[in-house]
Amino acid sequence: MSLRIFNNVRSLYTKNNKRCVWKDVTRCTGTAAHTLKIAERIKQKRSEALLGGGQRRIDLQHKKGKLTARERITLFCDVDSFVEYDMFMEHTCTDFGMENQKFPGDSVITGHGLVNGRPVYVFSQDFTVFGGSLSSVHAKKICKIMDQAILVGAPVIGLNDSGGARIQEGVASLAGYADIFSKKRFGFWGCATDIAYHGTVCRWRCIFACYNRLHFYGRRYISVTNEDVSQQDLGGAKTHTTISGVAHNSFNNDVDALLQLRNFMGFLPQSSQFPTPIRECDDPCHLDTQSSPPQLQHRIVDERDFFEIMPKYAKNIIIGFGRMNGRTVGIVGNQPKVAAGCLDINASVKASRFVRFCDAFNIPIITLVDVPGFLPGVTQEHSGIIRHGAKLLYAYAEATVPKLTVITRKGYGGAYDVMSSKHLRGDINYAWPSAEVAVMGAKGAVTILYRGKPDLDKREAEYIDKFGSPFPAAQRGFIDDIIEPRTTRWRLCRDLDLLETKKLVNPPKKHGNIPL
Amino acid sequence: MGIKTVAVYSVADSQSMHVKLADEGVFIGDSPASESYLDKDKIMGAIRLTGAEAVHPGYGFLSENAAFVEMLEDENVAFIGPSARAITGMGDKLGSKRLATAAGVNTIPGFDGVVRDADHCVEISRSIGYPVMIKASAGGGGKGMRIARSDEDARDGFKLSSQEALSSFGDSRMLVEKFIDNPRHIEIQVLGDKQGNVIYLNERECSIQRRNQKVIEEAPSTFLDEQTRQNMGEQAVSLCKKLGYHSAGTVEFLIDQNRNFYFLEMNTRLQVEHPITECITGVDLVQQMIRVARGYELRIKQEHIGINGWAIESRVYAEDPYKSFGLPSIGRLYKYIEPVHLPGVRCDSGIEEGSEISVYYDPMICKLVCYGKDRKEAIERSIKALDSYVIRGVTHNIPLLRDILTEGRFNKGDISTNYLPQVYPEGFKGLQLKEEDKNKLLSMASAIFATNELRNRKFLNAPQHKIYGKTLDTWQLYIELGDEKKKLDVSQTNGQYVVEVDSKVYRIDKEDINLSKPLLHLKVNDELNTLQLFSKNASGEYQLIYHGTNYKMYILTQRSADYLYLMPAKQKVDFSKQVRSPMPGLVKSVNCEVGEVVAEGQELCIIEAMKMQNSMVAAATGTIKSINIKAGDTVSDDDVLIELV
């Protein structure tokens, strides 16, 4: 790019020279020399910017098993589609000898590109420049693309690899953070994170991948509280995908994560103002298919292509995206193999956030119910399962996107209500012949109803006969139909087509108050 | 034949195809066979409930149970099979051998009596001379059978076989006989009526076996000449006459390299592989069995029986063929398409899409029978059928079946019961593709990759942005297949993908590629190839089934691959210090303790699945670090059972 500009300038000069009268030559050459000099400087700055913190640091980055900021962008965007902004911005700090260490573009690369033909705004933090730390300039660059993304209605993707605030800049850096956070309330925001305290706070909408370390405080801070812990244990990918639930998934390496991120983008609309994307679909959606409870989510979506979110956290509930006849859907399903599929605090929070994500981006929600209830226990109660369970209830009740529900087996107690029941404005609720909707399981119910009475077995059989079928719910209209499992896929596809034009607006108010 | 049918079923089978096909179904109990299909009283209950007049026992469970036949006789219900006396006579290996000798049938030298214990077994084995075969007196189907070549083998074999016999047949009596090296297993189908007429319907070659269970059978055999065939047939008939046998039955022979044949045993029932005999003789054996049970005389005479064409049966099992030629696997078939649209193909199966292969019963998926005018055509059709067979959800043995069908020795007809260990001394490792085939596979894979890339940007309700007005039409790809790494150039023009591998060009029609279809027929340079797209994901992991084998590959753009090489490689786990479960099953016993020092090859535990016992041995010498199982536990495939240090 830079070379081409330079050549153009020279040819212009020679062309003009021929026609120039003698007295003009001095002016011409003077301008030309200046132009040449400028061109040379542009060229030099550009090549400096391309090298970030220098070859030595790039090699170090590779040695750590990480790609550089630029390599990540190249891999993430379609070939040749990335357009960079602010390559020449430099930091403004003059303390601690910083005025002598400047890198064009500073510690972040920003711009826009295409992902599978759709525009995205991207920033990628450059660890090779001051450890990717956030300066005020760094923040300004990010804010610039965010502002534009909101105007255009395109997503912003952040590829984070940063040590945190730039200490040398002091409060200016913190202000930068706050500026970024304040903008994140708008627009769609995804980020793939490496080291980033930044990432912890700013995860708005969706942090996508965390494949190395992510923690609020560095290890040195933690040592103040006399806790001995390694970097990885404190905020490694494993910690955040299995224990804290901060990160939504982790991948083998940068390449894998970026390829999966591209794939993930394909499920999402450009912004909350766009409809759910519909991709071309080859899988027939009018035929009976074999459906059975284990892995049902794979069986109903197109080509068994189910993109699971948070697969390693709160495994008793499964969330993720799939496509039905090409149209993206969000799927929430209980996993009876883990904790019998009970809802607990983590599962409720995991699912409610997902439901709200779908609602925010016009993605229809399919709920597959097989839930024996909320998880009982002292820890759960003391940690506020009532409060957290209510999040899921709130999320479902509030959502205005199409909501389809299939009760495959158990729908017991409060958990039945919570899992997108008819009562929470579920649009279409189906039950399989194997469904049971009741306050609780037969054994438990009978021990309460007939405490101390003989022939409990007989009572239990009676209870099963009464509630062990989809009839009680169907008779009251709480489910719309009892369907054969093999018809699930085409019915859901048909309903999604029907509900495409669904219009439901919540009463106007500043915002709801989800029980946080 | 206008007969109404009743099926019996257990919990695990409640959704099975046989139940759906029958006019009525009767539930008879829990999944384990001993609580349902082997429970005579429950079956009798079902008979009384429905007023059934006759029972066809199929080929497992109670089909050779004389006590059951007696019960039926008492209630005046016809048993579609031989009489209780014939079953008793042949059901016991010792007794059957005596009867055979009396009927003038050639028999194998062996010990005439019941083996008392392991020591006795060793003593007898020595007197006969190694190698010997130890087998359950009440056995069949290869269960409870072991070969011993030394005293030690004899002792172990006796222990394991008698246990297996006890759990499978409820009878632990064992016998020992001379083992014939490199024999062929050839059997004669017989058919008799109650009037004393017996005919033979020629032979079936069942030499291709693993662990004494048949894998591929064919009829006729390439080995028999007309004279031997007749001799065998006549001896079989004479045995049946001596026995007063009626209904269908099979007399099994072992044949040595000089065409000497020895009586092995008689199966007093319909055999699994009966369809191939039906193919070449045109006789419907089940229909004949029903007629005979009704008391009708056989209309077919010996001179009506000829050999018309060639038939091959490939037993498609839910098994992992890479582990000792097949260890059971389980799962639910989420996609299942039989290749019955092809000419000359018959599929006998009891399952359909959505069926579950459980640990309770035999892991057989289907009997794929292919018929042709000669052996060559039968083999070709079998290969084509296997390539078009879509099975998803369980591991299956099609890679092995297909490889045998293309293997040189099999094609020459040079086979024996030791065929598998001789041809695959290291175990089955999967088909090694020829360079040209490999290039074809890779070019098809890259065409699929490109199709997927193009589809990823086909949003029906979003605008498409182009880069400098260009559309995506070329790819530089990198494919990793096993240890091999290849670079490919792909471009699309005129409705075709043009793929360049190793400076060879392959053209593939774009229209033939559908990312949702399990079975693809792609024209590569105008030559038709059958390919199955097993799975794909966004990380570039593709699985394609080509020539029967599932190839896992890693497809990336060249640029991604270059970056991937900057990433550190993942460390490999040392598996020799772990004992992993080779199959889903039940822990029968644990024979070691934490802290114990074990030698390489020492037995650590026994896993049982589908009535098959698998002895797990230490892969390296070491000390037991942890034991994650106890007797009675259920384990899944690849679970870590025991760890060593």
Side-chain angles (χ1 to χ4, degrees):
Chain A
M1 196 73 163
S2 56
L3 200 75
R4 192 163 49 183
I5 292 167
F6 176 69
N7 286 342
N8 285 348
V9 170
R10 196 161 57 177
S11 61
L12 204 74
Y13 162 67
T14 29
K15 230 187 271 173
N16 286 349
N17 197 21
K18 279 184 189 166
R19 273 187 255 135
C20 272
V21 280
W22 179 243
K23 64 171 180 180
D24 284 342
V25 170
T26 343
R27 194 178 57 84
C28 279
T29 45
T31 321
H34 179 71
T35 320
L36 267 174
K37 201 173 117 203
I38 296 294
E40 193 58 43
R41 254 172 73 190
I42 294 171
K43 188 185 162 193
Q44 195 203 337
K45 282 286 175 195
R46 277 197 200 278
S47 61
E48 272 176 34
L50 290 176
L51 265 184
Q55 193 57 46
R56 194 182 62 83
R57 290 209 178 90
I58 290 177
D59 293 342
L60 217 63
Q61 181 88 344
H62 287 158
K63 208 173 276 174
K64 278 190 263 178
K66 301 196 291 183
L67 292 178
T68 65
R70 234 164 249 289
E71 286 164 346
R72 284 176 181 158
I73 288 182
T74 335
L75 203 53
F76 176 63
C77 295
D78 292 348
V79 181
D80 291 341
S81 72
F82 183 65
V83 178
E84 187 169 344
Y85 288 176
D86 297 331
M87 218 178 190
F88 303 103
M89 265 177 105
E90 287 173 350
H91 73 77
T92 51
C93 183
T94 51
D95 300 322
F96 307 103
M98 287 291 278
E99 63 274 23
N100 302 322
Q101 301 179 50
K102 292 203 172 180
F103 297 86
D106 206 43
S107 52
V108 69
I109 298 158
T110 58
H112 63 81
L114 299 178
V115 169
N116 281 325
R118 296 191 302 170
V120 292
Y121 284 84
V122 193
F123 71 83
S124 179
Q125 294 179 319
D126 190 347
F127 196 79
T128 63
V129 179
F130 301 119
S133 61
L134 189 132
S135 64
S136 55
V137 167
H138 182 132
K140 272 185 196 145
K141 284 181 74 172
I142 294 177
C143 289
K144 191 194 240 180
I145 60 159
M146 285 169 113
D147 286 340
Q148 205 171 71
I150 291 162
L151 290 176
V152 174
V156 177
I157 301 294
L159 305 169
N160 291 11
D161 189 355
S162 161
R166 190 166 299 170
I167 299 169
Q168 294 91 330
E169 286 201 7
V171 72
S173 171
L174 296 181
Y177 268 119
D179 285 341
I180 296 174
F181 299 156
S182 74
K183 291 194 193 300
K184 281 182 193 146
R185 290 182 292 108
F186 319 103
F188 156 65
W189 164 264
C191 96
T193 312
D194 203 2
I195 306 176
Y197 124 80
H198 165 92
T200 344
V201 208
C202 75
R203 72 186 255 272
W204 181 250
R205 300 283 143 90
C206 175
I207 282 189
F208 179 75
C210 163
Y211 38 89
N212 205 324
R213 295 196 291 277
L214 181 77
H215 35 69
F216 197 85
Y217 288 116
R219 192 168 153 212
R220 290 205 189 92
Y221 289 95
I222 297 286
S223 61
V224 175
T225 57
N226 286 328
E227 289 168 288
D228 190 15
V229 64
S230 75
Q231 276 292 49
Q232 276 299 328
D233 284 349
L234 177 61
K238 201 175 162 200
T239 308
H240 285 311
T241 51
T242 59
I243 302 170
S244 74
V246 166
H248 289 170
N249 208 346
S250 63
F251 298 94
N252 290 332
N253 52 50
D254 285 27
V255 176
D256 196 18
L258 290 167
L259 290 177
Q260 288 287 355
L261 180 57
R262 279 174 66 85
N263 176 36
F264 174 58
M265 297 287 295
F267 287 98
L268 305 179
Q270 284 294 84
S271 79
S272 57
Q273 305 305 312
F274 279 73
T276 331
I278 302 176
R279 200 182 71 179
E280 194 182 73
C281 169
D282 303 308
D283 210 1
C285 59
H286 55 277
L287 301 174
D288 281 5
T289 49
Q290 282 304 328
S291 302
S292 53
Q295 292 202 316
L296 176 61
Q297 67 278 9
H298 287 99
R299 284 162 222 274
I300 57 171
V301 300
D302 296 349
E303 290 175 19
R304 298 171 62 81
D305 184 9
F306 179 69
F307 189 91
E308 190 168 354
I309 309 278
M310 300 177 96
K312 295 159 204 158
Y313 179 77
K315 290 189 206 165
N316 38 352
I317 203 154
I318 294 170
I319 56 171
F321 297 100
R323 292 187 180 88
M324 302 281 276
N325 198 10
R327 177 188 280 115
T328 301
V329 291
I331 293 179
V332 180
N334 306 109
Q335 170 56 283
K337 282 185 184 163
V338 182
C342 275
L343 287 178
D344 59 4
I345 292 175
N346 289 348
S348 304
V349 174
K350 173 178 166 184
S352 47
R353 194 172 153 81
F354 180 73
V355 167
R356 298 195 92 205
F357 180 93
C358 291
D359 189 40
F361 288 98
N362 314 318
I363 299 171
I365 303 162
I366 293 175
T367 310
L368 307 169
V369 185
D370 181 3
V371 64
F374 278 97
L375 186 71
V378 178
T379 332
Q380 289 287 320
E381 294 292 349
H382 287 186
S383 314
I385 189 160
I386 298 179
R387 186 159 56 89
H388 297 291
K391 289 178 183 172
L392 186 53
L393 190 90
Y394 188 101
Y396 267 121
E398 179 195 42
T400 56
V401 289
K403 289 181 283 192
L404 309 176
T405 310
V406 182
I407 304 176
T408 59
R409 232 166 45 135
K410 295 172 188 165
Y412 287 167
Y416 153 74
D417 283 335
V418 168
M419 294 298 290
S420 193
S421 61
K422 200 78 190 168
H423 325 284
L424 297 182
R425 305 197 289 182
D427 292 302
I428 294 168
N429 292 51
Y430 290 123
W432 282 5
S434 50
E436 302 167 17
V437 181
V439 174
M440 61 203 300
K443 208 169 192 97
V446 168
T447 29
I448 293 171
L449 290 175
Y450 304 102
R451 181 173 299 172
K453 298 224 172 94
D455 58 337
L456 282 184
D457 286 351
K458 209 182 109 205
R459 309 268 187 200
E460 199 180 319
E462 201 181 313
Y463 186 92
I464 291 172
D465 189 49
K466 201 166 170 60
F467 293 115
S469 78
F471 283 117
Q475 281 158 353
R476 288 164 181 80
F478 299 156
I479 51 175
D480 300 304
D481 201 357
I482 303 171
I483 62 167
E484 276 303 313
R486 62 171 192 281
T487 64
T488 311
R489 176 170 155 80
W490 63 256
R491 277 178 202 275
L492 293 177
C493 285
R494 188 184 61 186
D495 297 335
L496 285 168
D497 281 345
L498 179 73
L499 290 168
E500 191 177 3
T501 49
K502 175 184 173 183
K503 277 200 176 65
L504 175 64
V505 182
N506 287 334
K509 58 184 163 184
K510 195 171 169 195
H511 60 69
N513 193 8
I514 187 165
L516 293 172
Chain B
M1 296 174 84
I3 301 170
K4 291 257 181 199
T5 52
V6 180
V8 290
Y9 62 91
S10 69
V11 172
D13 274 344
S14 56
Q15 301 294 319
S16 287
M17 201 155 96
H18 77 274
V19 185
K20 291 180 197 163
L21 288 176
D23 297 311
E24 283 176 73
V26 180
F27 173 72
I28 50 160
D30 282 340
S31 301
S34 55
E35 285 165 44
S36 49
Y37 298 110
L38 284 173
D39 190 325
K40 300 184 206 72
D41 293 326
K42 285 188 180 154
I43 308 256
M44 291 310 293
I47 292 167
R48 283 181 214 119
L49 185 75
T50 54
E53 294 158 84
V55 174
H56 195 298
Y59 31 69
F61 302 128
L62 294 173
S63 61
E64 292 181 289
N65 190 307
F68 177 61
V69 178
E70 274 163 13
M71 281 169 95
L72 289 175
E73 281 168 5
D74 288 346
E75 302 231 353
N76 241 343
V77 176
F79 178 72
I80 305 176
S83 62
R85 200 174 62 85
I87 295 177
T88 325
M90 286 292 120
D92 184 272
K93 288 213 163 113
L94 285 177
S96 69
K97 210 168 153 183
R98 282 178 209 151
L99 268 163
T101 318
V105 180
N106 308 346
T107 56
I108 306 171
F111 173 69
D112 193 5
V114 174
V115 186
R116 285 193 307 274
D117 54 24
D119 288 335
H120 188 207
C121 179
V122 171
E123 191 184 307
I124 298 163
S125 307
R126 281 186 187 159
S127 72
I128 298 173
Y130 289 106
V132 296
M133 166 79 95
I134 300 159
K135 54 185 183 181
S137 182
K143 278 167 189 151
M145 265 196 198
R146 269 174 184 78
I147 298 156
R149 292 177 194 278
S150 66
D151 289 357
E152 206 178 312
D153 283 357
R155 211 176 291 277
D156 286 356
F158 179 82
K159 198 177 84 187
L160 287 170
S161 297
S162 54
Q163 275 172 13
E164 245 177 63
L166 192 64
S167 73
S168 288
F169 320 110
D171 179 354
S172 66
R173 285 180 304 149
M174 302 308 284
L175 55 88
V176 180
E177 66 190 16
K178 175 84 182 162
F179 175 69
I180 297 161
D181 247 336
N182 263 338
R184 282 169 180 257
H185 177 122
I186 295 177
E187 58 192 27
I188 299 287
Q189 174 71 52
V190 290
L191 191 59
D193 61 21
K194 289 179 177 169
Q195 287 72 26
N197 303 310
V198 183
I199 56 169
Y200 65 92
L201 291 91
N202 297 325
E203 79 281 7
R204 289 188 290 260
E205 163 79 76
C206 309
S207 295
I208 307 225
Q209 307 182 341
R210 50 122 185 77
R211 295 191 304 270
N212 287 314
Q213 271 186 301
K214 296 157 192 169
V215 180
I216 291 182
E217 299 106 337
E218 59 183 309
S221 165
T222 53
F223 190 60
L224 292 196
D225 51 39
E226 201 42 58
Q227 190 54 48
T228 321
R229 178 173 294 131
Q230 197 183 332
N231 290 347
M232 288 170 82
E234 278 164 6
Q235 286 199 9
V237 167
S238 110
L239 174 66
C240 291
K241 289 203 164 146
K242 178 95 190 161
L243 201 62
Y245 193 88
H246 60 82
S247 195
T250 300
V251 183
E252 297 189 341
F253 291 98
L254 281 185
I255 299 209
D256 67 14
Q257 303 301 318
N258 306 316
R259 292 200 178 82
N260 297 318
F261 57 90
Y262 305 99
F263 172 75
L264 190 64
E265 61 177 335
M266 177 166 183
N267 290 319
T268 54
R269 56 174 163 90
L270 192 67
Q271 293 271 92
V272 172
E273 59 274 22
H274 73 273
I276 51 174
T277 298
E278 297 187 336
C279 281
I280 60 158
T281 58
V283 176
D284 184 336
L285 286 169
V286 177
Q287 186 199 10
Q288 295 301 327
M289 285 175 82
I290 295 172
R291 286 190 72 248
V292 167
R294 190 82 179 85
Y296 294 135
E297 198 169 340
L298 280 181
R299 273 197 223 124
I300 317 158
K301 299 274 173 285
Q302 187 64 55
E303 58 266 28
H304 299 153
I305 304 297
I307 296 176
N308 180 20
W310 210 284
I312 295 180
E313 174 180 283
S314 310
R315 293 195 188 187
V316 181
Y317 277 108
E319 284 184 341
D320 183 349
Y322 301 102
K323 294 175 186 165
S324 44
F325 301 117
L327 285 188
S329 74
I330 53 168
R332 191 180 285 273
L333 295 160
Y334 63 79
K335 198 110 209 155
Y336 180 76
I337 306 168
E338 289 174 353
V340 282
H341 57 283
L342 298 171
V345 175
R346 164 174 168 183
C347 284
D348 284 13
S349 70
I351 55 154
E352 59 186 344
E353 199 165 286
S355 292
E356 191 168 359
I357 309 279
S358 68
V359 291
Y360 299 109
Y361 314 115
D362 198 75
M364 184 145 75
I365 297 174
C366 171
K367 301 185 287 184
L368 176 72
V369 181
C370 294
Y371 175 74
K373 61 179 189 299
D374 52 25
R375 188 163 190 258
K376 192 164 161 275
E377 193 179 61
I379 291 177
E380 276 166 9
R381 285 181 167 175
S382 296
I383 291 171
K384 218 169 174 185
L386 288 173
D387 282 347
S388 307
Y389 210 134
V390 178
I391 303 172
R392 301 280 190 277
V394 291
T395 317
H396 53 80
N397 67 340
I398 286 181
L400 175 64
L401 293 173
R402 193 191 187 278
D403 203 48
I404 295 170
L405 290 169
T406 54
E407 195 271 332
R409 266 187 65 186
F410 178 83
N411 274 278
K412 272 187 277 173
D414 172 20
I415 53 178
S416 75
T417 53
N418 296 329
Y419 172 86
L420 286 176
Q422 280 171 2
V423 173
Y424 307 101
E426 313 261 283
F428 180 59
K429 296 279 181 228
L431 175 66
Q432 301 306 312
L433 281 179
K434 283 186 229 110
E435 201 57 31
E436 173 68 11
D437 284 339
K438 193 178 285 169
N439 284 346
K440 267 192 221 163
L441 171 66
L442 294 184
S443 54
M444 288 188 284
S446 51
I448 289 171
F449 179 88
T451 310
N452 192 39
E453 283 283 290
L454 287 174
R455 191 182 63 174
N456 276 342
R457 50 192 64 204
K458 276 192 193 146
F459 292 103
L460 306 179
N461 57 351
Q464 269 294 304
H465 291 250
K466 287 179 181 172
I467 309 151
Y468 309 133
K470 277 194 300 190
T471 44
L472 183 66
D473 52 12
T474 53
W475 296 265
Q476 284 188 315
L477 299 184
Y478 161 92
I479 303 188
E480 228 178 88
L481 172 64
D483 296 332
E484 203 159 348
K485 301 174 177 81
K486 290 238 181 182
K487 285 180 182 182
L488 300 96
D489 285 312
V490 186
S491 59
Q492 55 160 340
T493 41
N494 298 330
Q496 278 190 324
Y497 288 112
V498 182
V499 186
E500 204 181 315
V501 204
D502 293 345
S503 62
K504 284 196 197 99
V505 175
Y506 299 90
R507 290 170 185 278
I508 297 161
D509 282 353
K510 279 172 79 177
E511 271 186 14
D512 294 342
I513 301 175
N514 182 318
L515 296 167
S516 294
K517 275 193 187 155
L519 194 60
L520 297 173
H521 301 287
L522 302 188
K523 258 192 200 151
V524 182
N525 290 347
D526 291 328
E527 189 195 331
L528 205 61
N529 280 269
T530 303
L531 185 77
Q532 296 189 22
L533 176 57
F534 186 86
S535 72
K536 61 172 185 342
N537 72 17
S539 302
E541 288 158 15
Y542 279 69
Q543 287 190 43
L544 298 172
I545 300 173
Y546 184 52
H547 287 183
T549 299
N550 190 340
Y551 293 96
K552 291 184 183 127
M553 54 187 94
Y554 204 38
I555 312 180
L556 292 171
T557 58
Q558 187 58 48
R559 194 175 51 169
S560 314
D562 290 343
Y563 286 146
L564 195 68
Y565 270 90
L566 297 170
M567 305 280 106
K570 278 214 159 182
Q571 283 182 335
K572 286 198 174 143
V573 192
D574 182 8
F575 287 114
S576 71
K577 295 291 186 191
Q578 286 179 339
V579 179
R580 282 166 183 263
S581 173
M583 57 182 183
L586 206 78
V587 180
K588 196 82 187 159
S589 65
V590 180
N591 309 332
C592 58
E593 281 169 26
V594 175
E596 191 181 324
V597 180
V598 292
E600 187 181 329
Q602 186 178 334
E603 182 184 280
L604 301 180
C605 60
I606 296 175
I607 307 291
E608 189 187 71
M610 298 168 190
K611 292 189 187 162
M612 200 184 81
Q613 293 198 352
N614 218 289
S615 158
M616 304 302 302
V617 297
T621 304
T623 316
I624 307 275
K625 188 174 123 199
S626 64
I627 299 174
N628 306 330
I629 45 162
K630 56 182 188 305
D633 281 358
T634 328
V635 292
S636 325
D637 192 14
D638 223 26
D639 276 3
V640 178
L641 307 175
I642 292 167
E643 282 174 286
L644 304 174
V645 242

